[in-house]
Amino acid sequence: MENGHVIVLFGATGDLSRRKLLPGLMHLWQAGLIDDSRIVGTSLEDIDTAEFVRIARGACDEFSHRGLTAQEWDEFAGLLSYVPQSAGPPALAEAVRAAEADLARGGRPVDFLHYLSVPPKAALDVVRQLDEAGLVKQSRIVMEKPFGTDLESARRLNDRLHQVFDESQIFRIDHFLGKEAAQNILAFRFANGLFEPIWNRNFIDHVQIDVPETLGLEGRTKFYETTGAYRDMVVTHLMQVLAFMAMEPPTSLAPDPISDEKLKVFRSMRPIEPHHVVRGQYAGYREHPDTADDSDTETFVALKVEIDNWRWAGVPFYLRTGKKLAEGARIISIAFKEPPLAMFPAGSNAGTQGPDHLTFDLADQSRMSLSFYGKRPGPGMKLEKLSMQFATHETSSAYAVLEAYERLIYDALRGDHTLFTTAAGIETLWERSTPLLQNPPPVRTYTPGSWGPNAIHQLVAPHAWRLPFERSWREQQAARP
C-alpha cells in the first residue's frame, strides 16, 4: 500500500506558487501520480479556502499548458484547503491533521511534504513554525535557493535546519536539474558505448554552460543587491549542471551514489580565482529602485572553472549567465578536440567552422544536437558543418514529459534525493568560491541586448563563446531550401 501525502504549500498565494506549483500539482494529479494526496495552502493572505480555490483555478487557467474539464477541476479543488499564517501553528496543525485523517482511512500511512515557497529570510521561521506545530515527524521539507550567501552563512543555515530536520528530510530544490534534458545527460553519458569512452580530457577540448536571459531585474533589485548573479545562478544552478557533466560513473543511478559523485566533483574543483571571472552590470541597473548609486552588484558573470582530477585536468569549463542579454537560452556545449587536418586541400573549409560540438538544450522543449563536418555534395572536397538533432517533444513519449517543478515535487514525495542538492555539496561550493567572494573583480558596464562585457572574449580565448555562432548557424540552416 502506497503512502498518502499531505502537501503543505507555504507561500501558497505567491508568484512561484501561481506560475509553477499549483499548475504543477494539478498536472501531477491529472497524471494519476498524486491521487492519494491533500494540499493545504498557507500564506500571509487572510483568505479562506473558497478564495484559495479561486486563486488556484486562475493560476491553472493562466499558466497550465494542459486542458482541464469542469469535472476534473471540481475533483482537484476538493483536495485543496487553506489556513492563513495569522491563525498560528495550532491552526495549521489542525488542518494538516484533518487532511491526514481523511487520507488514513483504511490504515493507509500518510507522509507530509512541506514546500517552502517563501523568501529566504522567512524559511527558518517556517521551520520553527513546523516544529511548534508538531509537523516534523514523518515529513519532508522542500527549500528554494539561495542556500546561504557564503560558507559561513551556509553552515549557519544548515546547522539551524539540522536542529529540527534530519538531512535525509531536506530537499534543496534546483529546477535546472528537474529538466528532462539535464537528466538526459546521465543517460547519454553512461548508456552509450559511442560516447562514454571519449568523455574525458583526451577527447574533449572544453565545455561551456551558458544561461543568458533577456529579462531585467525590475522589481527584484532588493533581492539582487544582497546576492548578485554569481550567488543567484552559478552556485545553485550552473555548478549543479556541471557536476552532472563531470562526475564519475556512480555505482548505480540511486540518490546516494549520485550525490557522492557530485560531491567528488566539487571537491576536485580548484578555488575560483578572481582573474578567472568577469563580472558585469547592465547599463541602467543603478536607476532601478532599491539600488545604490555606486552599486557593485553583478547582473552578469562569466568564469572559468578547473577540475583538478584525472578525467578533467586541463579541460576548462566556461560558465556564463546574465540579465538583459541578447538572447535567452540554457545550453551545455561540449567541444571535441580536432583531428590533424593536413590531409585536406586548401580551400576545403576543414577546421574553419570550429570544433565538433555536442549540445544539450535545457529549454522546456529540450533538444540535443551533434555538429560535425561532412562533404558538401558536388565536385571537389568541400566540407560544411552538418547536424543531427533529437527533440523530446517530437517523440512518441512527449505526452509523459513532466516540467521541472512537477518532477522534483514528485521525487520529493517519493523521498528520491537524486536531483537535489546536499548540505555538504553546497558548503563545498561556497568554500571553493571564497577567493572570488573575498576579492571580486570590478563590475564592467555592458549594453542591454548585448552578450555582456567585452572582457568575456579574453576569458574564453583562444576559444569562442558558442551561442552567437550557434544561433546564426541555425538561422542559415533554416533559410536553406
Side-chain angles (χ1 to χ4, degrees):
M1 180 183 298
E2 289 191 7
N3 289 12
H5 297 282
V6 179
I7 301 167
V8 186
L9 188 55
F10 290 86
T13 59
D15 183 60
L16 177 63
S17 179
R18 290 178 60 253
R19 286 187 299 107
K20 295 293 184 182
L21 305 183
L22 287 168
L25 288 167
M26 185 200 73
H27 181 228
L28 288 172
W29 176 81
Q30 280 183 303
L33 298 176
I34 57 169
D35 286 341
D36 299 312
S37 297
R38 298 292 184 271
I39 300 164
V40 179
T42 181
S43 75
L44 298 177
E45 299 285 337
D46 197 8
I47 58 176
D48 59 12
T49 293
E51 178 64 11
F52 177 54
V53 170
R54 188 192 67 78
I55 291 172
R57 180 59 193 261
C60 292
D61 286 345
E62 183 176 358
F63 296 107
S64 175
H65 305 300
R66 301 168 178 89
L68 192 70
T69 67
Q71 180 180 349
E72 283 180 321
W73 173 254
D74 288 342
E75 291 181 28
F76 179 70
L79 309 182
L80 304 177
S81 61
Y82 184 86
V83 182
Q85 282 284 290
S86 58
L92 178 65
E94 182 180 353
V96 173
R97 294 299 179 186
E100 177 190 23
D102 190 26
L103 288 169
R105 293 170 186 164
R108 178 194 308 278
V110 178
D111 294 329
F112 305 149
L113 181 72
H114 308 299
Y115 197 116
L116 274 58
S117 178
V118 298
K121 290 183 179 179
L124 289 175
D125 288 337
V126 172
V127 170
R128 177 183 49 78
Q129 182 181 354
L130 290 170
D131 196 16
E132 292 178 9
L135 297 175
V136 173
K137 189 179 178 182
Q138 76 200 67
S139 71
R140 302 181 180 109
I141 182 172
V142 178
M143 299 191 65
E144 287 280 344
K145 68 178 177 78
F147 313 116
T149 56
D150 55 21
L151 179 58
E152 181 182 352
S153 62
R155 283 176 173 166
R156 189 165 58 244
L157 173 63
N158 287 327
D159 286 345
R160 294 183 65 180
L161 284 173
H162 291 155
Q163 290 172 15
V164 179
F165 288 95
D166 185 78
E167 177 67 16
S168 64
Q169 295 176 281
I170 302 170
F171 291 75
R172 298 169 186 82
I173 197 166
D174 174 13
H175 69 272
F176 272 48
L177 295 189
K179 293 179 178 296
E180 197 77 32
Q183 296 167 77
N184 227 336
I185 296 170
L186 298 181
F188 199 89
R189 282 193 59 186
F190 300 128
N192 291 297
L194 179 63
F195 288 99
E196 193 281 329
I198 62 172
W199 210 267
N200 56 58
R201 59 186 168 83
N202 296 322
F203 298 93
I204 292 177
D205 185 74
H206 67 279
V207 177
Q208 295 181 23
I209 302 175
D210 213 346
V211 186
E213 298 180 274
T214 57
L215 296 175
L217 287 160
E218 294 81 358
R220 295 188 65 211
T221 48
K222 188 172 184 179
F223 163 72
Y224 233 68
E225 280 291 281
T226 60
T227 52
Y230 185 83
R231 290 178 169 93
D232 180 45
M233 292 292 293
V234 175
V235 173
T236 50
H237 291 325
L238 275 66
M239 292 293 196
Q240 306 302 323
V241 173
L242 181 151
F244 267 30
M245 279 290 310
M247 71 183 191
E248 295 296 320
T251 54
S252 68
L253 291 179
D256 287 347
I258 287 178
S259 293
D260 290 345
E261 296 305 333
K262 287 174 60 182
L263 182 57
K264 289 177 185 177
V265 172
F266 299 149
R267 287 174 171 166
S268 299
M269 285 170 46
R270 291 185 180 179
I272 308 299
E273 300 293 346
H275 64 275
H276 286 160
V277 179
V278 174
R279 297 168 69 235
Q281 185 185 94
Y282 64 76
Y285 171 80
R286 295 177 183 176
E287 298 169 12
H288 295 323
D290 301 312
T291 57
D293 292 340
D294 59 348
S295 172
D296 190 49
T297 300
E298 80 276 3
T299 63
F300 170 98
V301 65
L303 61 150
K304 181 168 78 169
V305 176
E306 298 171 294
I307 301 175
D308 203 6
N309 63 17
W310 186 265
R311 181 180 293 267
W312 296 113
V315 178
F317 287 72
Y318 297 105
L319 280 53
R320 175 172 66 169
T321 186
K323 310 296 183 184
K324 286 204 173 182
L325 296 178
E327 185 177 329
R330 296 166 181 175
I331 298 290
I332 306 167
S333 186
I334 299 140
F336 292 98
K337 291 185 175 180
E338 295 189 77
L341 299 170
M343 62 181 285
F344 289 93
S348 67
N349 289 335
T352 61
Q353 297 182 44
D356 299 340
H357 281 86
L358 175 64
T359 302
F360 295 88
D361 187 339
L362 301 187
D364 290 335
Q365 299 287 358
S366 63
R367 285 182 170 86
M368 293 189 300
S369 65
L370 178 64
S371 72
F372 53 92
Y373 284 103
K375 182 184 178 300
R376 181 181 300 171
M381 180 58 73
K382 278 279 190 179
L383 304 184
E384 62 181 353
K385 276 286 185 177
L386 306 175
S387 177
M388 292 190 294
Q389 294 195 358
F390 159 80
T392 301
H393 67 277
E394 294 173 354
T395 70
S396 59
S397 302
Y399 69 91
V401 172
L402 295 177
E403 292 189 358
Y405 277 99
E406 297 167 1
R407 178 181 305 279
L408 293 169
I409 290 171
Y410 182 59
D411 284 353
L413 287 169
R414 296 184 299 123
D416 186 340
H417 276 89
T418 302
L419 302 177
F420 294 85
T421 306
T422 65
I426 284 291
E427 290 180 14
T428 301
L429 285 173
W430 285 125
E431 183 181 16
R432 296 296 183 268
S433 303
T434 297
L436 170 64
L437 299 180
Q438 289 181 342
N439 186 29
V443 292
R444 303 165 185 259
T445 302
Y446 63 94
T447 304
S450 69
W451 287 103
N454 287 332
I456 63 170
H457 301 297
Q458 287 78 51
L459 176 70
V460 78
H463 315 295
W465 289 101
R466 170 80 167 153
L467 263 180
F469 163 77
E470 174 74 354
R471 180 179 51 144
S472 61
W473 178 77
R474 282 180 176 171
E475 289 172 353
Q476 291 170 10
Q477 299 300 309
R480 291 186 176 182

